[in-house]
Amino acid sequence: MSDNINRNNLKSMHSSSLTGDQSATIQRQVVWKKNKSTLWHYRPKQKKYHTPLFLIYSLLNKPYILDLSQEMSMINAFTREGYDVYLLDFGALGYEDKELTLDDYIKKHIQKGVRRALLHSKASEITILGYCLGGTLAAIYAAIAEEPVKNVVLFAPPLDFKDSIVMKEWKRALKNKSLPVDALIDANEFIPVGAVKAWMKLFTAPITVSSYLSLLKRADEETYVKKWSSINNWANDHVPFSGAVLKKIMYDLYINNKLINDQLYIEKERVQLSNIQSSLLVVSALDDELVPPKMSKPLMDKSNSKDKLFKTVRGGHVTIAVKGSLPTFLINWLHERSSPISQIS
């Protein structure tokens, strides 16, 4: 393959970029809205299960990675299996949202969104799925949920931050406040997209460099370049942050590791992961440098679920999201725990 083709493939990354306002690849409808958050419903062509799925994604990126294209859509894969899928899209905050807290996200957005999904689906129980930081939020919610949560499925959830990707020097500087981050956040109250992007690049620099090296090695492969381009554009499509939320995540989760140690509070309620008694599945990718398995597996010892499984798969952080199909073990696990219609009708 000639160098000209290499250059053309790499150049195509910029001309085929996706935007954050990309339309879903499958039909969906709005079920509920709360401030900037939207609860989307994706209806399967043939409904096979009474138990709907409620998807929670990260606060740092837009959730269209879960429905990136017809060939790379986790949501499409779930609807093909016959599930009603509800996606809570947190949207892009504005300066008027500067006082939004993590407590608000859990109690006023996720909890109320779950209640709306249960009402809309007329289901008696629901499955909560969380991806990346959305998995962290899902675990927090599941630990204090009053709703009938039948199953909890977490993909690459950062839960134990003892050995996070944030360099130890940075963590030490943030902890002893030798970096004026608090003053910067307090002065601005709101973290714009440019600042979020800069921080993410700073903390994930080695991973970002390795992904570009992988691209160069496979620049002759047009399909790979297009897929890499779509994912890379999404990865750089960050959303603004409330200063209050950033401080809570930065100090309570990353620096002081309060979640895994049962020291986190949401609206004065202590979050104890031992309260999670639903059927639990945690999936980690062996090549995930952003959230390695050791950041997720400790939940297995913390939860009181009698039915729980920790599973590893080959691939990186977004492999399952963009694969376009579901692993056999996940299909079987959900099937056995999602009240198939044929067993009830």
Side-chain angles (χ1 to χ4, degrees):
M1 188 86 52
S2 69
D3 288 341
N4 284 337
I5 295 179
N6 288 355
R7 285 194 294 270
N8 288 337
N9 282 349
L10 291 173
K11 186 177 179 180
S12 71
M13 293 190 304
H14 304 288
S15 61
S16 62
S17 62
L18 295 167
T19 70
D21 297 323
Q22 140 183 337
S23 299
T25 66
I26 53 179
Q27 189 174 3
R28 64 182 183 175
Q29 68 174 112
V30 176
V31 171
W32 174 72
K33 292 181 75 71
K34 170 72 174 178
N35 194 19
K36 304 298 168 48
S37 293
T38 302
L39 182 63
W40 296 99
H41 175 224
Y42 299 78
R43 187 187 304 275
K45 288 184 178 180
Q46 182 181 356
K47 183 175 177 177
K48 298 179 182 178
Y49 298 95
H50 287 281
T51 310
L53 309 180
F54 188 94
L55 269 168
I56 305 169
Y57 196 68
S58 173
L59 298 173
L60 288 166
N61 292 90
K62 298 178 182 178
Y64 64 83
I65 186 67
L66 303 176
D67 189 28
L68 199 55
S69 70
Q70 287 288 350
E71 300 77 24
M72 297 187 290
S73 174
M74 172 184 269
I75 292 176
N76 198 11
F78 280 126
T79 58
R80 285 200 308 269
E81 291 296 325
Y83 292 96
D84 271 311
V85 177
Y86 293 86
L87 169 67
L88 183 58
D89 181 348
F90 295 116
L93 302 184
Y95 184 75
E96 65 275 10
D97 306 303
K98 64 183 183 298
E99 296 180 356
L100 188 70
T101 66
L102 190 65
D103 302 48
D104 292 330
Y105 274 122
I106 300 297
K107 301 291 287 187
K108 297 178 182 178
H109 293 248
I110 294 176
Q111 186 174 53
K112 288 189 177 181
V114 169
R115 291 175 180 175
R116 289 296 181 126
L118 283 164
L119 182 66
H120 183 265
S121 65
K122 298 181 174 61
S124 59
E125 296 175 301
I126 198 164
T127 294
I128 304 297
L129 295 96
Y131 208 122
C132 186
L133 185 58
T136 311
L137 301 180
I140 294 171
Y141 162 70
I144 61 175
E146 301 171 358
E147 295 68 42
V149 177
K150 184 176 178 63
N151 310 301
V152 175
V153 182
L154 307 178
F155 303 99
L159 301 169
D160 185 352
F161 295 88
K162 181 176 62 177
D163 297 310
S164 69
I165 65 164
V166 179
M167 293 177 288
K168 291 182 179 179
E169 292 80 6
W170 280 98
K171 293 186 74 171
R172 191 180 302 115
L174 289 169
K175 193 167 187 176
N176 63 29
K177 300 192 177 182
S178 59
L179 283 176
V181 176
D182 277 14
L184 181 62
I185 294 174
D186 292 341
N188 293 279
E189 300 180 289
F190 182 74
I191 316 302
V193 171
V196 173
K197 186 175 180 178
W199 273 91
M200 287 302 296
K201 282 191 175 297
L202 181 64
F203 286 145
T204 63
I207 300 172
T208 304
V209 170
S210 65
S211 70
Y212 275 94
L213 291 175
S214 298
L215 172 65
L216 288 173
K217 290 177 183 178
R218 301 181 63 177
D220 287 334
E221 304 174 33
E222 184 175 355
T223 300
Y224 177 84
V225 170
K226 287 182 178 179
K227 183 174 181 179
W228 187 96
S229 173
S230 297
I231 297 172
N232 184 63
N233 286 322
W234 161 82
N236 285 285
D237 193 9
H238 297 292
V239 290
F241 238 80
S242 151
V245 172
L246 180 59
K247 286 179 72 172
K248 184 104 171 178
I249 290 175
M250 187 167 62
Y251 287 105
D252 284 8
L253 298 184
Y254 277 89
I255 305 302
N256 295 311
N257 209 15
K258 289 185 177 182
L259 175 59
I260 204 68
N261 292 316
D262 296 330
Q263 297 171 346
L264 181 71
Y265 284 81
I266 295 294
E267 289 191 356
K268 300 182 179 180
E269 181 177 358
R270 186 181 175 194
V271 179
Q272 295 179 276
L273 295 174
S274 58
N275 289 336
I276 299 177
Q277 300 182 31
S278 310
S279 294
L280 174 65
L281 173 63
V282 178
V283 184
S284 288
L286 292 171
D287 305 310
D288 188 345
E289 298 177 272
L290 187 63
V291 185
K294 63 183 178 181
M295 291 185 69
S296 306
K297 193 172 183 179
L299 181 59
M300 293 295 101
D301 293 328
K302 297 293 292 187
S303 80
N304 270 329
S305 303
K306 293 181 180 179
D307 173 23
K308 53 186 172 183
L309 174 66
F310 181 77
K311 193 77 174 177
T312 56
V313 296
R314 299 302 313 185
H317 188 65
V318 298
T319 296
I320 295 177
V322 300
K323 200 172 182 64
S325 60
L326 303 175
T328 301
F329 75 83
L330 177 57
I331 293 174
N332 294 338
W333 193 93
L334 279 173
H335 170 76
E336 294 169 3
R337 295 162 179 81
S338 299
S339 303
I341 289 176
S342 59
Q343 292 183 9
I344 296 179
S345 301

